[in-house]
Amino acid sequence: LFRFLHPQAADKEDAFHVKQYLKMQGGILTAKAKESSIDVSKTKADDDELNGQFIMEGGQLTATSTGKASKAVKVEDKLTMKGGKLIATTSGEAYYDGKKKDIASASALKCKTFSMAGGEVSLLAKGDGGKGLNTDGNIDVTGGTLYVVTTGGKYEFHEETDTKPHGIKSDGDITLAGGEVRVAVESKKATSIKTDWKIYTNGANVM
């Protein structure tokens, strides 16, 4: 029911760390950690199959993270949702990273790109400055049900350095072509869906 390539032993920061890829086809998996409950990272060989990807086809995954700027589910490359149920919650706050001289935020789900054709994804970010779904690239939803909730407020390091909570945040295009997408944000400072690129909606039920 589970396929893991190069699994690594859990440490006090990550509950479950897999190198190359993770594929879930059934069963129940529950993980809780300070940093990343589920962390899928690439190997050094770029041509490795599905390198850095998480494919979910069935079963139920429940992931919870609690630390500052933590990610309940962290996928270095693409997350593909075909079926099953994914529940991810982070209660971590944002913080100012002095080394990077930037603010680091917590995310319920962080990945490079996100593709959803079926199943159900429920994301909750509780901390200030938190993000529900946070991607470096494109988001494509053609089916299934995506629920996203943020309950935190704006994190402010000082007047000119802050970050707002976002339900869905993408650094690429967002395409909502099917399925159901529901996003709720509690803070007046929050944004439901944010991207500096394009949003396409055609056939999806967006609320």
Side-chain angles (χ1 to χ4, degrees), residues 9-17 31-39 64-68 70-72:
D11 58 29
K12 63 182 180 180
E13 304 297 337
D14 296 338
F16 198 69
H17 190 183
K32 182 177 181 180
K34 181 179 179 182
E35 290 297 329
S36 300
S37 294
I38 304 295
D39 187 347
T64 305
S65 67
T66 59
K68 289 183 178 181
S70 62
K71 280 71 178 172

Side-chain angles (χ1 to χ4, degrees), residues 95-104 157-158 161:
Y95 79 99
Y96 183 77
D97 188 332
K99 292 182 179 180
K100 296 182 179 180
K101 296 183 179 180
D102 197 6
I103 294 174
F157 181 65
H158 56 64
T161 306

Side-chain angles (χ1 to χ4, degrees), residues 23-51:
K23 180 179 285 187
M24 185 169 181
Q25 297 173 313
I28 297 174
L29 177 61
T30 301
K32 182 177 181 180
K34 181 179 179 182
E35 290 297 329
S36 300
S37 294
I38 304 295
D39 187 347
V40 183
S41 61
K42 290 183 178 182
T43 65
K44 294 181 180 180
D46 292 336
D47 59 348
D48 276 347
E49 179 187 18
L50 303 173
N51 205 3

